[in-house]
């Protein structure tokens, strides 16, 4: 009897029961509630591998929604969180401070270019964006220039799911039900490009002409422009040339428009340098960071402002920035981030970025034989392609079919977590992914493309 009660239930039964309970009570993000496919129950993970409760292994090729940097359950980050939790788990951050936050602010100010020196903490990517545009608006009020009210954004830009973030990212197309509740934002074309794109110069010139025209008319009414520099993530890994970002910023500067970089996704090495602003060699006035900041362990948002911005809040009549979250600068999140930043600065991390970039080049070369794979592109550790279909976009049917296919077990290739954005297949691996693992991810894509060709 005793022996029997000690035997854990079979893995399949545990998975089954968890799925049933999940179906009864859990509401998942960006997912159809009536979906016929069961959620995959993950029990543990290490490195680039996710382990399901029923004994399968999945190779995490998208860093679990772009957050994980150095592998799952990384011992150094796990230890940092554990030690911090036993010392100080949380304390009010108005009028109080603590070492993990001070250390993190110090490190970020050192790592970021120019005079991006003033760190404001929040909870996640969306709140880091809310903080940025609110600071930008108040900056102009601090200077007494109350006519600078407009906000600009790139077409297709995505900046998060809270109201202000939805507004500046409205053109991403995810937010139709709430459109009339959003703030107005002026949208400028984004000149995305890919391998073998012969018309990019024409498209860039057209985008810049539209920008010039807009700034000519309204330049002195604009408070700030927010952008995802180099790679638009949620829009389908749309990539532009660094010079395009440089040209846009030059024009914004001429009209004194503040520049906000949303590097929530591109930050911490994804583009092959610490930040996309390092690749383009430009300095924004405000930068938003989240996702990878904690190595993918805990939610934490960071908005870093230039000295000039911060100084508008200081002086004889200091101004309060009336914004703060219950868990502002949570010590556990900061401890994870500090451990993650140490890993970021190891020489082997840069070597890993280069190795991933090289493997991506080979992979793209390999899949370019499929006629359905178009607009092949790569920036640092991110590689992507469009599948040519009649219904492109996030709700493209091929996306769901491919997702299913990738997540199912197959003969002779490992199971992979690849989650297409509509008709866009992309890879954004954690930096610990081995060459061999990355190769198998490309083989999986190659097989998937064979299937798409067969269907079409
Ligand atoms: C994911 C993302 C956000 C939102 O971050 P959350 O943590 O999901 O709120 C904002 N901007 C960009 C560029 C992102 O990729």
């Amino acid at each position: 009897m005793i022996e029997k009660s000690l035997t854990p239930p079979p893995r399949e039964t545990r998975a089954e029961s968890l799925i049933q309970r999940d179906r009864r009570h859990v509401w998942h993000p960006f997912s159809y509630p009536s979906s016929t496919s069961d959620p995959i129950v993950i029990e543990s993970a290490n490195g680039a591998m996710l382990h399901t409760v029923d004994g399968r292994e999945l190779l995490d090729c998208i860093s679990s929604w772009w957050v994980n940097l150095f592998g799952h359950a990384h011992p150094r980050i796990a230890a940092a969180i554990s030690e911090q939790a036993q010392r100080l788990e949380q304390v009010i951050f108005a009028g109080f401070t603590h070492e993990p936050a001070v250390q993190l602010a110090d490190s970020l100010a050192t790592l970021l270019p120019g005079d991006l020196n003033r760190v404001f903490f929040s909870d996640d990517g969306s709140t880091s964006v809310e903080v940025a545009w609110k600071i930008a608006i108040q900056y102009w009020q601090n200077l007494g220039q109350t006519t600078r009210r407009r906000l600009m954004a790139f077409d297709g830009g995505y900046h998060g799911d809270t109201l202000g973030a939805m507004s500046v990212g409205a053109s991403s197309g995810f937010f139709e039900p709430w459109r009339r509740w959003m703030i107005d934002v002026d949208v400028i074309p984004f000149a995305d490009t890919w391998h073998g794109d012969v018309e990019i110069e024409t498209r860039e010139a057209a985008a810049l002409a539209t920008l010039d025209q807009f700034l000519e008319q309204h330049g002195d009414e604009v408070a700030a422009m927010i952008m995802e520099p180099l790679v638009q993530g949620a829009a389908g890994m749309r990539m532009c040339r660094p010079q395009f970002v440089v040209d846009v910023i030059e024009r914004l500067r001429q009209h004194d428009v503040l520049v906000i970089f949303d590097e929530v996704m591109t930050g911490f090495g994804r583009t092959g340098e610490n930040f996309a602003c390092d690749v383009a060699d430009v300095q924004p006035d405000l930068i938003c960071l989240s996702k990878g900041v904690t190595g993918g362990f805990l939610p934490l948002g960071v908005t870093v402002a230039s000295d000039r911005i911060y100084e508008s809040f200081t002086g004889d009549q200091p101004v309060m920035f009336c914004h703060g979250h219950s868990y502002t600068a949570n010590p556990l999140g900061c401890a994870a981030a500090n451990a993650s930043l140490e890993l970021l600065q190891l020489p082997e991390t840069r070597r890993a970025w280069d190795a991933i970039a090289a493997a991506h080049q080979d992979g793209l070369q390999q899949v370019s034989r499929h006629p359905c794979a178009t607009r092949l592109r790569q920036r640092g550790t991110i590689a992507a392609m469009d599948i040519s279909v009649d219904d492109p976009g996030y709700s493209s049917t091929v996306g769901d079919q491919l997702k299913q296919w990738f997540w199912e077990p197959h003969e002779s290739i490992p199971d992979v977590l690849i989650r297409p954005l509509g008709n866009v297949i992309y890879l954004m691996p954690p930096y610990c992914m081995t060459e061999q693992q990355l190769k198998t991810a490309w083989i999986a894509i190659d097989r998937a493309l064979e299937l798409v060709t067969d269907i079409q």
Side-chain angles (χ1 to χ4, degrees):
M1 275 309 267
I2 290 167
E3 221 150 76
K4 198 173 174 190
S5 68
L6 282 177
T7 318
R11 290 174 146 212
E12 292 74 18
T13 321
R14 248 168 59 231
E16 198 67 18
S17 133
L18 279 167
I19 289 165
Q20 276 170 15
R21 285 159 63 202
D22 178 286
R23 281 197 172 283
R24 242 192 326 267
H25 293 295
V26 183
W27 198 342
H28 289 271
F30 283 97
S31 311
Y32 290 109
S34 56
S35 169
T36 45
S37 49
D38 289 333
I40 297 171
V41 187
I42 301 298
E43 186 171 53
S44 66
N46 66 316
M49 222 40 120
L50 304 171
H51 307 281
T52 71
V53 73
D54 51 5
R56 281 174 65 203
E57 285 193 325
L58 277 129
L59 186 62
D60 184 352
C61 301
I62 60 161
S63 300
S64 281
W65 248 357
W66 322 345
V67 299
N68 190 282
L69 297 186
F70 305 106
H72 290 277
H74 193 287
R76 292 227 346 228
I77 304 179
I81 295 170
S82 160
E83 281 164 27
Q84 186 58 43
Q86 293 166 61
R87 193 175 315 129
L88 172 68
E89 83 303 340
Q90 167 66 16
V91 66
I92 178 174
F93 206 61
F96 289 76
T97 195
H98 49 79
E99 188 178 356
V102 174
Q103 176 60 48
L104 179 55
D106 194 342
S107 306
L108 287 173
T110 308
L111 213 54
L112 287 164
D115 69 341
L116 286 167
N117 285 329
R118 194 55 66 164
V119 178
F120 193 96
F121 294 101
S122 59
D123 292 351
D124 51 45
S126 305
T127 53
S128 77
V129 167
E130 299 289 349
V131 166
W133 80 262
K134 285 174 71 175
I135 288 178
I137 292 289
Q138 200 176 356
Y139 166 81
W140 290 110
Q141 289 174 12
N142 293 347
L143 299 192
Q145 297 200 32
T146 50
T147 52
R148 284 206 184 253
R149 291 186 195 159
R150 287 177 182 263
L151 293 171
M152 293 167 62
F154 270 136
D155 183 39
Y158 170 85
H159 302 287
D161 295 346
T162 55
L163 192 59
M166 282 201 295
S167 304
V168 287
S171 68
S172 64
F174 294 112
F175 309 124
E176 278 317 306
W178 311 285
R179 191 171 275 280
R180 59 171 285 227
W181 284 269
M182 293 183 194
I183 48 175
D184 273 340
V185 172
D186 299 294
V187 175
I188 297 302
F190 179 77
D192 63 323
T193 190
W194 46 86
H195 294 350
D197 174 15
V198 290
E199 285 160 6
I200 181 57
E201 266 151 37
T202 319
R203 279 202 313 285
E204 281 179 358
L208 292 171
T210 308
L211 175 63
D212 284 336
Q213 205 178 5
F214 177 80
L215 289 174
E216 204 53 52
Q217 276 188 331
H218 300 292
D220 57 357
E221 301 161 27
V222 183
M225 174 158 179
I226 185 166
M227 66 185 79
E228 291 170 275
L230 298 185
V231 187
Q232 289 190 330
M237 300 301 151
R238 294 169 82 206
M239 302 182 185
C240 72
R241 303 198 295 186
Q243 188 59 40
F244 177 65
V245 175
V246 173
D247 291 343
V248 168
I249 288 175
E250 192 184 289
R251 285 161 169 78
L252 296 173
R253 293 273 181 240
Q254 279 163 13
H255 292 266
D256 247 342
V257 174
L258 295 180
V259 177
I260 304 171
F261 271 14
D262 176 352
E263 294 221 36
V264 167
M265 184 279 280
T266 51
F268 307 103
R270 299 293 183 196
T271 63
E273 294 287 342
N274 286 333
F275 303 98
C277 58
D278 296 324
V279 178
D281 197 18
V282 288
Q283 193 213 304
D285 301 287
L286 290 149
I287 188 167
C288 306
L289 304 169
S290 187
K291 291 206 166 107
V293 68
T294 60
F297 273 65
L298 286 165
L300 182 71
V302 175
T303 309
V304 188
S306 69
D307 288 337
R308 168 167 78 119
I309 303 272
Y310 183 71
E311 277 156 18
S312 81
F313 288 80
T314 65
D316 296 341
Q317 284 172 314
V319 182
M320 190 184 283
F321 178 52
C322 286
H323 188 113
H325 300 279
S326 312
Y327 285 98
T328 297
N330 171 253
L332 303 183
C334 292
N338 286 325
S340 179
L341 283 187
E342 276 176 28
L343 296 172
L344 187 81
Q345 291 170 85
L346 296 177
E348 51 260 45
T349 297
R350 188 163 287 268
R351 283 202 289 276
W353 297 341
D354 295 343
I356 291 169
H360 280 343
Q361 274 164 22
D362 293 347
L364 285 169
Q365 177 66 31
Q366 179 191 344
V367 301
S368 65
R369 68 191 175 90
H370 298 283
C372 65
T374 60
R375 301 190 173 186
L376 309 181
R377 52 197 184 269
Q378 184 229 336
R379 166 68 61 195
T381 67
I382 310 168
M385 74 203 72
D386 288 11
I387 309 303
S388 55
V389 286
D390 298 331
D391 60 340
Y394 194 76
S395 43
S396 170
T397 44
V398 77
D400 270 341
Q401 290 164 349
L402 282 171
K403 193 167 72 183
Q404 281 315 318
W405 186 84
F406 280 124
W407 297 2
E408 277 162 11
H410 299 281
E411 282 286 315
S412 74
I413 53 165
D415 306 348
V416 288
L417 167 47
I418 293 177
R419 189 177 187 277
L421 293 154
N423 64 317
V424 175
I425 299 183
Y426 72 95
L427 295 178
M428 193 192 292
Y431 308 147
C432 64
M433 190 172 279
T434 65
E435 202 181 327
Q436 198 49 46
Q437 287 173 323
L438 199 47
K439 258 197 194 126
T440 60
W442 279 106
I443 290 168
I445 292 179
D446 196 54
R447 286 273 296 272
L449 292 173
E450 254 164 41
L451 272 155
V452 174
T453 310
D454 286 350
I455 296 165
Q456 283 179 337

